[in-house]
Amino acid sequence: MDEPTAAPTRSALAEKLGVDIDAGLFSLALTHRSYAYEHGQIPHNERLEFLGDSILGQAVTVRLFTQHPELDEGALAKRRASVVSTVALAVVARRIDLGAHILLGRGENLTGGRDKDSILADTLEAIIGATYLSAGPDAATALVLRLIEPLLDDPDRYGAAMDPKTSLQELAAHTGAAAPLYTVVSTGPDHDRRFTATVTVGAVSAQGTGTSKKHAEAAAALSAWRTLSGRA
């Protein structure tokens, strides 16, 4: 059973965030719906997540617009999408060890929910929403910018994570390498099949696994993209 986070630990998270959040809102922001359902349908963080998503998008949009006058609308939209993607936000969440503080139901806890990209990203957005309600719009915007600043230095990394196969194909064309070639094998019984994909791009070869052919190929493509781009 997943009990509420101890106060000293939560204080450490607040220190990493660098903002004072109302205790009740802080607890709500960390409460996943799976925990809420197992504890009498108490409130969970999805409304705060909805609010935080809007604040995140606005803050990133304004920062990109003001700092990159050379980019057109399409390029700005692509860069924003990569920075606010689930993959990118999960990276930020892991940096502050957010997963250790999330209140999860037993099932999610046992199946690795503390390290799931979607849960980490959603909780981070809920934290942003709680900051807005506790400390106001300026504090919430400042928090967003502190958190995502490192992502702005290398947005292509997170764009690749959103669509690895397309990103790998574009990078291969840009570097003059042959088009990616995929092979996939599967193992295990029908009800628990695992797929392993191998992709070759010039001299680079990488593997990825998943519960479907699509997921395995995407994982292999992302691994190859990181190697080919020098971001391994």
Side-chain angles (χ1 to χ4, degrees):
M1 184 168 61
D2 195 19
E3 295 299 331
T5 309
T9 304
R10 191 163 292 174
S11 297
L13 175 61
E15 186 175 343
K16 291 178 182 178
L17 293 168
V19 64
D20 290 325
I21 303 176
D22 171 82
L25 287 171
F26 204 176
S27 181
L28 181 60
L30 294 170
T31 303
H32 187 257
R33 66 176 178 268
S34 63
Y35 183 91
Y37 292 163
E38 290 183 10
H39 291 76
Q41 300 285 348
I42 63 174
H44 52 75
N45 64 9
E46 289 182 0
R47 281 175 53 84
L48 285 177
E49 174 200 335
F50 172 80
L51 176 61
D53 177 70
S54 179
I55 297 161
L56 171 69
Q58 181 184 45
V60 172
T61 298
V62 172
R63 170 57 66 92
L64 291 173
F65 182 87
T66 56
Q67 288 201 341
H68 294 282
E70 78 283 3
L71 297 180
D72 62 19
E73 184 271 344
L76 287 170
K78 183 177 181 180
R79 186 165 294 199
R80 178 181 61 191
S82 69
V83 171
V84 303
S85 69
T86 296
V87 172
L89 294 180
V91 169
V92 173
R94 291 187 183 97
R95 188 185 307 132
I96 60 174
D97 196 25
L98 183 59
H101 305 269
I102 302 173
L103 302 179
L104 293 173
R106 182 174 301 177
E108 281 289 358
N109 200 32
L110 291 174
T111 57
R114 295 189 184 283
D115 197 45
K116 286 183 181 177
D117 284 359
S118 59
I119 291 178
L120 289 170
D122 291 348
T123 305
L124 187 64
E125 289 179 338
I127 291 289
I128 294 168
T131 300
Y132 178 92
L133 295 177
S134 296
D138 290 344
T141 297
L143 173 63
V144 169
L145 296 180
R146 285 198 304 275
L147 292 174
I148 60 90
E149 196 68 44
L151 309 185
L152 294 173
D153 294 335
D154 190 13
D156 289 344
R157 174 186 290 270
Y158 305 102
M162 294 171 63
D163 188 355
K165 293 184 70 173
T166 298
S167 295
L168 179 60
Q169 186 170 338
E170 291 175 348
L171 182 59
H174 179 72
T175 59
L181 178 64
Y182 295 87
T183 58
V184 181
V185 297
S186 62
T187 57
D190 289 342
H191 68 277
D192 188 25
R193 192 164 294 279
R194 298 288 298 179
F195 294 82
T196 299
T198 301
V199 61
T200 302
V201 188
V204 173
S205 181
Q207 284 192 335
T209 61
T211 55
S212 70
K213 178 182 176 181
K214 178 181 178 180
H215 289 160
E217 287 183 344
L222 183 57
S223 179
W225 182 90
R226 286 171 173 164
T227 300
L228 196 61
S229 66
R231 293 174 173 87

